[in-house]
Amino acid sequence: MATVLTANFAYSGAEMIGVAAGETKNPEKAIPKASRRTLVLLITLFIGAILIMGALLVPSDNALATSPFVAILGQASIPGSADIMNAILIITLFSASNAGVFAASRMIWPLADKGEIFPKFGELSRHGHPGAPASQ
């Protein structure tokens, strides 16, 4: 089960690109552009974060048992900064979960529309979006 969860997390970004392509007006131009921008942003953020953590933390630091970001902010002696970082990390987890729910609703709808799963999942909202019954 842990392996399934890890694989789902690792590949959910590629899945979201496919879902976004179906929701985009001009996917031939928008998806490659968004993919390149996202790749540059992620590489910059990850490499930047690794460089900062490597410069500020030593491998034998006991604070590494928690989040490295929280450890760095705790060492900076900025009041409440570690709590703010923990809140940001929790909000990020909720955001990723929300993206998963969005993608799942967009993938379940065509299955229900074709009669491959329970038809109730094929209902659209009053605005024509999958994931909510038309009566709402």
Side-chain angles (χ1 to χ4, degrees):
M1 190 63 168
T3 304
V4 170
L5 290 173
T6 302
N8 184 31
F9 173 76
Y11 293 106
S12 64
E15 176 181 288
M16 287 299 296
I17 291 172
V19 171
E23 302 267 332
T24 305
K25 290 181 183 176
N26 190 358
E28 297 85 13
K29 289 185 179 182
I31 298 301
K33 184 177 179 180
S35 296
R36 282 190 299 273
R37 284 185 177 177
T38 301
L39 185 62
V40 168
L41 179 66
L42 287 174
I43 289 171
T44 303
L45 288 175
F46 280 119
I47 291 176
I50 289 169
L51 289 174
I52 290 170
M53 286 185 288
L56 297 176
L57 295 173
V58 294
S60 61
D61 194 347
N62 289 334
L64 291 176
T66 63
S67 168
F69 295 108
V70 174
I72 289 170
L73 290 172
Q75 290 176 0
S77 300
I78 301 171
S81 61
D83 293 331
I84 292 171
M85 180 54 74
N86 277 328
I88 290 170
L89 293 172
I90 290 170
I91 290 168
T92 302
L93 289 172
F94 282 129
S95 175
S97 298
N98 188 41
V101 169
F102 171 79
S105 71
R106 294 310 197 259
M107 288 184 278
I108 287 173
W109 180 80
L111 293 172
D113 192 48
K114 293 178 183 176
E116 295 180 20
I117 61 173
F118 191 62
K120 183 82 172 163
F121 293 122
E123 294 181 5
L124 298 175
S125 71
R126 63 180 173 199
H127 301 291
H129 300 292
S135 60
Q136 290 183 355

